[in-house]
Amino acid sequence: MKKFINKLDDVLLESLSGFAEAHADIVKLALDPHFLSRKNQALNKVVLISGGGSGHEPLHVGFIGYGMLDAACPGHVFTSPTPDQMLAAAQSISTNKGVLFIVKNYAGDVMNFEMAAEMLNIENATIYTSDDCAVLNSTYTEGRRGVAGTIVVEKCVGSLAETGASLAECKALGEKVNQRTSSIGVALTSCTVPAAGRPTFNLAEDEIEMGVGIHGEPGRRRLKMQEADAVVKECVEAILADWQQKQLSLTEQHETLLLINGFGATPLMELYLIYHSATKLLKQHGICITRSLVGNYTTALDMAGASVSLCLLDDEIKYHWDSPVHTAAMRWKC
Amino acid sequence: MKKFINKLDDVLLESLSGFAEAHADIVKLALDPHFLSRKNQALNKVVLISGGGSGHEPLHVGFIGYGMLDAACPGHVFTSPTPDQMLAAAQSISTNKGVLFIVKNYAGDVMNFEMAAEMLNIENATIYTSDDCAVLNSTYTEGRRGVAGTIVVEKCVGSLAETGASLAECKALGEKVNQRTSSIGVALTSCTVPAAGRPTFNLAEDEIEMGVGIHGEPGRRRLKMQEADAVVKECVEAILADWQQKQLSLTEQHETLLLINGFGATPLMELYLIYHSATKLLKQHGICITRSLVGNYTTALDMAGASVSLCLLDDEIKYHWDSPVHTAAMRWKC
Amino acid sequence: MHTSFILDAAKAIQQSILNNEAALESLDREIGDGDHYINMKRGAQAIVSMQEELVSLSAALALNKIGLKLLSTLGGASGPLLASFFMSMAKQWPAAGKADLLSIALAFDAGVQAIMLRGKAGLGEKTMLDVLIPVSQQFKQLAEKKQTKAFICIALMESAEQGLINTRDLIATKGRAAGLGERAMGHLDPGAKSCQLIITAVCQLALAP
Amino acid sequence: MHTSFILDAAKAIQQSILNNEAALESLDREIGDGDHYINMKRGAQAIVSMQEELVSLSAALALNKIGLKLLSTLGGASGPLLASFFMSMAKQWPAAGKADLLSIALAFDAGVQAIMLRGKAGLGEKTMLDVLIPVSQQFKQLAEKKQTKAFICIALMESAEQGLINTRDLIATKGRAAGLGERAMGHLDPGAKSCQLIITAVCQLALAP
Ligand SMILES: Nc1ncnc2c1ncn2[C@@H]1O[C@H](COP(=O)(O)OP(=O)(O)O)[C@@H](O)[C@H]1O
Ligand SMILES: Nc1ncnc2c1ncn2[C@@H]1O[C@H](COP(=O)(O)OP(=O)(O)O)[C@@H](O)[C@H]1O
Ligand SMILES: [Mg+2]
Ligand SMILES: [Mg+2]
Ligand SMILES: [Mg+2]
Ligand SMILES: [Mg+2]
């Protein structure tokens, strides 16, 4: 394993420090317990707090700022943050509108945020994101994972919160966006957790993992590498099947947001090729794409691979997606 | 080699198509010869055209748009574009202010742009960027390479051109920014050119290449992997030595822009750790950092590694760096 | 049981985790995300570092502090689960001088119940509970039957071992492996492995002369 | 020399490039950026595809078209250089019926001069010129001495081979390898290798009965 690190124990703090220094105009870093929050906290709005294991950057720290999150609690690499972080973050920001936690649906994240929520003496609610449609038998298990679609939830709820909307309204919008978003990822290589020092899993030189999780969790099936169009086809069809199962109905005038997310080591050149492939296939299915995002937004350290996310827009979601945002990783109209 | 591609011959065109589709609000793609240009071309400004081999995305296509480039000519992977591309791009955009080519200083790029410039019947000039201070004996050779610092040149000249400045003024600013910017990169792994199908060079599991070029050209020296601080120290000292050689003098009130650029496969987490390390070291040398950029901006396909660039700001450069920009890869204040 | 035993147990557990790095690490790489060893190591280290702070406390207070510490250092899924275990066990812990085996077994069981509640899980879901539930049941039964400490310790170690082995052929329905379906079969659950290590370390310590 | 010879030469060159994939590819990987083989292959393919368009043209016009085609397909450093070579050679090409060996040698030399001008390079800089300059000089000398075609062809192939070998121990001062300093030593220059292949393919064709 070759990585730019000093001591293993210091990776997280040094990296967060660099992030806070590079974006000192937007965020500030609190230590012990660690969390990052907006430099200039807006008052009179629902406080949006997300978090999760580190190694998915820019998620979530890169989405702190105007129009998106108020704070993010980074755990160790691929390890959920602990409740004291969420408590400290929530308590450091006081508005009279309550706190909304945005949590990716993983056992660890769920339980840590849940304990924080129980301990917090401020009105609060939680949105669990679960856009990953990779896992087929998820109805028999504790449910689907939250992956790249989480960004769309954070962006839209962030925009709504900025208008002074209530906790219930923010939660409702977040749940709607989550419900209308499906994602699936493919790994070409494993990732390497710094502290482990070796790849989490092994893929042969001609194998790929379809439906991989953003921590390198095995997915739906392992298959031989194929041409991009074939791989993307399986992704697109998984998403459309999921939409059918969710009974998302497509009107004539429907619009969608297509997000091609890189896992960290896949060049932009390939991500745009995937985007092109996905648009071709989606068009064949009569899907109309009117918004797009391509890049490394929800990564899995140094994994090569990408995920496809599709969100069925409506006027409300579109409005909040388009509205101004000013964070380290996403900025427009301001 | 596992990559998201269909046929080798189609990689570039499919990827450019995806880019043009995903950013149809900003750019349009012309075919045969290939180039991308702004969707809404501004009149009455110097036309800025850059280009180079593909595989460095978002450079240059990601920097087309308001406040930056007017067009970019992408060559095959790591291969300079051909003069007909530059000619077609220049001829498709007509303003009365002339054309400024921004060219990274590589034999191939230089000669292809030169031939285009000779064949073009529109007033034109060229800026050659040469920020890479990795190569020690560059005074005896045809000169230094242009690397990540090129973005700073494109951003600042782009901003100035938007004000209606003349060709000479734009060229002068670009050359000033180039002169005040030094960069050096380190590779932890090679990259793999799709058509070659195998890594360009080999690094042992404990080796790194200091001073690597953005095409995987060997650099200054090969050394054993060390802790990040030691690696970054060598980079920072190379840059400061270069500044001394360039006789850039630092006033009490000097300000700098620190750019930590990922080569493609290095996670943001590590890039921010490098940023932290570099700020620590630069502070020790009395350098004051007031602007920053961290991310994958000038990549080398799937190479793991990063480069450090430092630009000595002045009021003019700072103004043009801060001014609004709206491109696929860099957007602020609009 | 005295606080000093708890402190010694913490050290024994830490040692056992460190000794089993390869196993813990590879199990979570196989059906999880590869961080379980690191999490457990960090948690154990944090507890062992509390020696001074804990030594003068009652066992119940010490157990509660341990739970709180785990809550803020472990993270992941195992963090809130093991933290809940210790905090709930602490609540039920018998008063000083009344710590007979049955009341310890009941406190232990309260801890296991807390994990079930927090994780919304039961037996057969391929989690740490596949070790903890049978161990707890047996502990209560044997303590009710007034078996000796030595007998109980040996039985619990066996039960833990068996519970762990049982996880091998289960399909996971909780935790990170829940997405794997049949592909999780043939792999032990990492959390079950650490619980088996913990139980074994404590029982061995209790058995020592 | 007739246009048909040029077309046959293009095919022979293409074949030679394809046959030497491994060498061309690895040389540019070692001291360049690994694309030289792909560039040359693309260029050769483009020229071979022009057969129909070229067959009815004069040699000079065909050579000029080839230069223009290379300019728009090759890219990289070799693109403008080889394109300039063909376009300048075309300008100096003797009129039909006047294509004696000396005038061909002079046209070839004009092409090499164009490369020197465009690349601002000369002998000993570890580039294709280390093959082309000696070959051109010898071509002129032997043609002036009215040596036979066969003699000249054999001499030029040897000269190209020697020029290529000479690049091995040079430090590059032009092109992508210029940054390498002493590390470029021990490696042949990829552009020199393709030029040696081109010259050899053409000479062999000229030698064929
Ligand atoms: N709902 C649950 N109930 C009980 N145990 C669980 C549950 N979810 C996960 N676990 C346990 O946690 C272990 C994983 O812990 P760890 O690797 O530290 O956290 P994470 O899964 O968040 O990376 C699993 O092996 C399993 O034993
Ligand atoms: N200034 C120059 N003069 C002559 N030949 C050059 C010059 N620069 C580069 N070359 C030749 O070009 C070759 C590399 O070509 P190629 O790999 O196709 O382009 P690039 O270097 O742009 O990737 C070198 O091996 C060298 O022979
Ligand atoms: Mg984890
Ligand atoms: Mg090249
Ligand atoms: Mg784990
Ligand atoms: Mg090359």
Side-chain angles (χ1 to χ4, degrees):
Chain A
M1 177 192 65
K2 262 182 292 186
K3 288 180 184 285
F4 289 104
I5 56 179
N6 292 305
K7 290 203 211 70
L8 272 178
D9 285 345
D10 301 337
V11 173
L12 184 61
L13 188 57
E14 290 183 358
S15 176
L16 292 176
S17 302
F19 180 83
E21 288 155 3
H23 304 289
D25 52 332
I26 310 178
V27 300
K28 56 180 191 242
L29 171 63
L31 299 177
D32 256 336
H34 302 342
F35 66 90
L36 285 123
S37 59
R38 290 195 199 181
K39 190 182 165 206
N40 301 312
Q41 183 54 49
L43 307 168
N44 206 32
K45 74 181 282 291
V46 170
V47 173
L48 300 186
I49 299 180
S50 190
S54 293
H56 307 301
E57 291 68 30
L59 191 81
H60 297 274
V61 291
F63 301 124
I64 300 170
Y66 177 78
M68 233 164 146
L69 301 178
D70 294 283
C73 303
H76 288 269
V77 173
F78 288 2
T79 300
S80 334
T82 53
D84 52 321
Q85 296 177 264
M86 283 70 96
L87 279 175
Q91 280 157 353
S92 81
I93 306 168
S94 59
T95 76
N96 54 357
K97 295 252 177 184
V99 172
L100 182 58
F101 294 111
I102 303 181
V103 181
K104 301 190 296 304
N105 190 35
Y106 292 92
D109 289 343
V110 171
M111 292 188 283
N112 281 286
F113 272 90
E114 215 172 61
M115 291 191 78
E118 289 165 13
M119 292 154 92
L120 184 63
N121 55 2
I122 301 174
E123 190 193 359
N124 66 78
T126 305
I127 297 171
Y128 297 102
T129 64
S130 57
D131 51 309
D132 192 357
C133 64
V135 175
L136 286 170
N137 57 346
S138 58
T139 39
Y140 305 106
T141 67
E142 60 183 346
R144 303 150 54 108
R145 307 175 291 205
V147 288
T150 306
I151 305 165
V152 190
V153 174
E154 293 181 356
K155 171 67 183 77
C156 294
V157 178
S159 162
L160 178 60
E162 232 47 82
T163 68
S166 72
L167 188 57
E169 288 163 338
C170 288
K171 183 173 152 91
L173 175 62
E175 283 173 345
K176 179 170 79 171
V177 174
N178 180 58
Q179 219 272 323
R180 295 167 74 99
T181 307
S182 301
S183 306
I184 184 167
V186 190
L188 304 197
T189 70
S190 175
C191 47
T192 298
V193 174
R198 44 189 279 188
T200 303
F201 60 101
N202 290 309
L203 277 174
E205 184 44 46
D206 63 344
E207 277 181 346
I208 62 175
E209 181 75 33
M210 173 64 67
V212 73
I214 55 171
H215 311 87
E217 301 97 323
R220 187 180 264 237
R221 68 191 191 99
R222 190 162 284 199
L223 61 159
K224 292 281 167 209
M225 184 61 189
Q226 300 167 37
E227 53 180 31
D229 283 348
V231 177
V232 175
K233 186 161 187 273
E234 182 158 346
C235 295
V236 162
E237 286 174 357
I239 288 172
L240 294 180
D242 193 47
W243 277 21
Q244 211 145 38
Q245 220 173 358
K246 285 177 174 177
Q247 302 187 303
L248 290 178
S249 57
L250 296 181
T251 62
E252 275 287 320
Q253 293 79 32
H254 77 268
E255 298 184 40
T256 64
L257 159 69
L258 175 59
L259 159 58
I260 305 297
N261 171 60
F263 283 149
T266 287
L268 263 188
M269 176 170 238
E270 293 175 50
L271 297 182
Y272 281 113
L273 192 148
I274 294 172
Y275 183 91
H276 179 61
S277 176
T279 53
K280 262 190 317 195
L281 292 160
L282 286 166
K283 256 182 219 149
Q284 285 168 17
H285 283 94
I287 305 286
C288 176
I289 304 160
T290 61
R291 296 291 184 279
S292 61
L293 192 68
V294 182
N296 295 307
Y297 290 100
T298 302
T299 60
L301 291 170
D302 54 353
M303 187 189 282
S307 62
V308 180
S309 300
L310 196 66
C311 170
L312 182 57
L313 301 170
D314 64 10
D315 286 345
E316 187 188 19
I317 300 175
K318 204 166 58 174
Y319 175 86
H320 290 298
W321 176 258
D322 288 343
S323 67
V325 60
H326 182 172
T327 68
M330 221 149 83
R331 181 169 177 183
W332 54 71
K333 295 188 183 162
C334 69
Chain B
M1 177 191 64
K2 263 183 289 185
K3 289 180 184 285
F4 290 103
I5 56 180
N6 292 304
K7 291 203 209 71
L8 272 179
D9 284 345
D10 302 337
V11 174
L12 184 61
L13 188 57
E14 290 182 0
S15 176
L16 291 177
S17 301
F19 180 82
E21 288 155 5
H23 304 291
D25 52 331
I26 309 179
V27 300
K28 57 178 190 249
L29 171 64
L31 299 178
D32 257 335
H34 304 339
F35 66 90
L36 285 123
S37 58
R38 291 195 198 180
K39 190 183 166 205
N40 300 312
Q41 183 53 50
L43 307 168
N44 206 29
K45 72 181 283 292
V46 170
V47 173
L48 300 186
I49 300 180
S50 190
S54 292
H56 306 301
E57 290 70 29
L59 193 77
H60 298 273
V61 293
F63 301 125
I64 298 169
Y66 177 78
M68 231 163 149
L69 300 178
D70 294 283
C73 303
H76 288 270
V77 173
F78 288 1
T79 300
S80 334
T82 53
D84 52 322
Q85 296 177 266
M86 282 72 95
L87 279 175
Q91 280 157 354
S92 82
I93 308 167
S94 59
T95 74
N96 55 357
K97 295 254 178 183
V99 173
L100 182 58
F101 295 113
I102 303 180
V103 181
K104 303 191 293 306
N105 190 36
Y106 292 92
D109 289 343
V110 171
M111 292 187 285
N112 281 286
F113 272 90
E114 216 172 60
M115 291 190 77
E118 290 165 14
M119 292 155 91
L120 185 64
N121 54 1
I122 300 173
E123 191 194 359
N124 67 78
T126 305
I127 297 170
Y128 297 103
T129 64
S130 57
D131 51 310
D132 192 356
C133 63
V135 175
L136 286 171
N137 57 346
S138 57
T139 39
Y140 305 106
T141 68
E142 59 183 348
R144 303 150 55 110
R145 307 175 292 207
V147 289
T150 307
I151 306 164
V152 190
V153 173
E154 293 182 355
K155 171 69 182 79
C156 294
V157 179
S159 162
L160 178 60
E162 233 46 83
T163 66
S166 72
L167 187 57
E169 286 164 340
C170 289
K171 182 173 153 91
L173 175 63
E175 285 174 344
K176 177 169 81 173
V177 173
N178 179 58
Q179 218 272 325
R180 294 166 75 99
T181 307
S182 302
S183 304
I184 183 167
V186 191
L188 303 197
T189 70
S190 176
C191 47
T192 298
V193 175
R198 46 188 279 189
T200 303
F201 59 100
N202 289 309
L203 277 174
E205 184 44 45
D206 63 343
E207 276 180 346
I208 62 176
E209 181 76 34
M210 173 64 67
V212 72
I214 56 172
H215 310 87
E217 301 98 323
R220 190 180 264 238
R221 69 193 190 98
R222 191 161 282 198
L223 60 159
K224 292 280 165 210
M225 184 61 190
Q226 300 168 36
E227 52 179 31
D229 283 348
V231 177
V232 175
K233 187 162 186 273
E234 182 159 347
C235 295
V236 162
E237 286 175 357
I239 289 173
L240 294 180
D242 193 46
W243 278 21
Q244 211 146 38
Q245 221 173 357
K246 286 176 174 177
Q247 300 187 302
L248 290 177
S249 57
L250 297 179
T251 62
E252 273 290 319
Q253 292 78 32
H254 77 268
E255 297 184 40
T256 64
L257 159 69
L258 175 60
L259 158 57
I260 305 297
N261 171 61
F263 283 147
T266 287
L268 264 189
M269 177 170 236
E270 292 174 52
L271 297 183
Y272 281 114
L273 192 146
I274 294 172
Y275 183 92
H276 180 61
S277 176
T279 53
K280 260 190 319 195
L281 291 161
L282 286 167
K283 257 182 219 150
Q284 285 168 18
H285 283 94
I287 304 286
C288 176
I289 304 160
T290 60
R291 296 293 183 279
S292 61
L293 191 69
V294 182
N296 294 307
Y297 290 100
T298 302
T299 59
L301 292 169
D302 54 353
M303 187 189 283
S307 62
V308 179
S309 301
L310 196 67
C311 171
L312 181 57
L313 302 170
D314 64 12
D315 287 346
E316 186 186 21
I317 301 175
K318 204 166 61 177
Y319 174 85
H320 291 297
W321 176 258
D322 288 343
S323 67
V325 61
H326 182 172
T327 68
M330 219 149 84
R331 182 170 178 183
W332 54 70
K333 295 189 182 159
C334 68
Chain C
M1 200 159 82
H2 294 288
T3 302
S4 67
F5 180 84
I6 296 175
L7 300 184
D8 290 344
K11 278 187 236 164
I13 290 168
Q14 180 188 36
Q15 198 51 56
S16 176
I17 286 167
L18 294 177
N19 291 344
N20 286 275
E21 164 165 4
L24 289 175
E25 210 262 333
S26 68
L27 290 176
D28 199 37
R29 257 196 292 110
E30 279 156 22
I31 60 167
D33 58 353
D35 63 349
H36 187 61
Y37 168 71
I38 310 158
N39 294 347
M40 293 304 289
K41 181 178 149 186
R42 185 174 55 241
Q45 174 58 45
I47 305 306
V48 169
S49 315
M50 294 170 81
Q51 298 280 109
E52 274 186 37
E53 182 186 342
L54 298 179
V55 71
S56 55
L57 301 180
S58 72
L61 273 178
L63 289 170
N64 189 53
K65 284 240 171 198
I66 287 173
L68 282 168
K69 188 57 145 196
L70 288 177
L71 192 61
S72 67
T73 52
L74 241 175
S78 32
L81 294 173
L82 294 177
S84 301
F85 172 83
F86 280 98
M87 293 189 293
S88 294
M89 182 161 71
K91 255 192 221 140
Q92 298 297 318
W93 200 259
K98 300 210 173 153
D100 60 302
L101 284 168
L102 182 56
S103 46
I104 291 177
L106 292 172
F108 185 91
D109 197 53
V112 175
Q113 301 286 339
I115 292 184
M116 295 174 69
L117 217 65
R118 177 60 61 198
K120 301 188 184 66
L123 203 63
E125 306 208 60
K126 201 177 182 104
T127 70
M128 55 173 73
L129 286 169
D130 292 314
V131 165
L132 294 175
I133 292 175
V135 164
S136 176
Q137 280 169 354
Q138 190 157 34
F139 193 1
K140 275 191 298 182
Q141 281 166 20
L142 297 179
E144 269 161 13
K145 290 190 195 145
K146 304 245 192 265
Q147 298 286 4
T148 64
K149 184 170 87 173
F151 185 92
I152 292 178
C153 283
I154 289 164
L156 296 189
M157 289 195 289
E158 271 166 21
S159 173
E161 177 79 28
Q162 190 54 53
L164 170 62
I165 290 167
N166 288 347
T167 65
R168 175 170 287 134
D169 292 327
L170 290 171
I171 290 183
T173 47
K174 286 278 149 39
R176 219 172 270 281
L180 280 178
E182 309 218 320
R183 289 170 69 181
M185 282 169 66
H187 299 276
L188 298 175
D189 176 65
K193 176 73 192 170
S194 349
C195 286
Q196 182 259 332
L197 290 176
I198 292 171
I199 286 158
T200 305
V202 176
C203 288
Q204 266 169 354
L205 190 69
L207 282 173
Chain D
M1 200 157 80
H2 293 288
T3 301
S4 66
F5 180 83
I6 295 175
L7 300 184
D8 290 345
K11 279 188 233 162
I13 291 169
Q14 180 188 35
Q15 200 50 57
S16 176
I17 286 166
L18 294 176
N19 290 345
N20 286 275
E21 166 166 2
L24 288 175
E25 210 262 332
S26 68
L27 290 178
D28 199 37
R29 259 197 289 108
E30 280 156 20
I31 59 167
D33 59 351
D35 62 349
H36 187 63
Y37 168 71
I38 310 156
N39 294 346
M40 294 303 291
K41 181 179 151 188
R42 186 173 55 242
Q45 175 58 46
I47 304 307
V48 170
S49 314
M50 294 170 81
Q51 299 280 107
E52 277 186 36
E53 182 186 343
L54 298 180
V55 71
S56 55
L57 301 180
S58 72
L61 274 178
L63 290 170
N64 189 54
K65 283 240 173 197
I66 287 174
L68 281 168
K69 189 55 141 196
L70 289 178
L71 192 61
S72 66
T73 53
L74 242 174
S78 31
L81 293 174
L82 294 177
S84 301
F85 172 82
F86 281 97
M87 292 190 294
S88 293
M89 183 160 71
K91 255 192 221 141
Q92 299 296 316
W93 199 258
K98 300 209 173 156
D100 59 303
L101 284 169
L102 182 57
S103 46
I104 292 178
L106 292 172
F108 184 90
D109 197 53
V112 175
Q113 300 287 337
I115 294 185
M116 293 174 70
L117 217 64
R118 177 60 61 197
K120 301 189 184 68
L123 201 66
E125 307 208 59
K126 201 178 183 107
T127 70
M128 53 174 74
L129 286 169
D130 292 315
V131 165
L132 295 176
I133 291 176
V135 164
S136 176
Q137 279 169 356
Q138 189 156 36
F139 194 1
K140 275 190 298 179
Q141 280 166 20
L142 297 179
E144 270 162 12
K145 290 188 195 147
K146 305 248 192 259
Q147 297 287 3
T148 63
K149 186 170 86 172
F151 185 90
I152 292 179
C153 283
I154 289 167
L156 296 190
M157 289 195 289
E158 270 167 22
S159 173
E161 177 80 27
Q162 190 54 51
L164 169 63
I165 290 169
N166 289 346
T167 65
R168 176 170 287 133
D169 292 327
L170 290 172
I171 290 183
T173 46
K174 285 279 149 35
R176 220 172 268 283
L180 282 178
E182 309 218 321
R183 290 170 69 182
M185 283 169 66
H187 299 275
L188 298 176
D189 175 65
K193 175 74 191 170
S194 353
C195 285
Q196 181 259 332
L197 291 175
I198 292 171
I199 287 159
T200 305
V202 176
C203 288
Q204 266 167 355
L205 191 67
L207 282 174

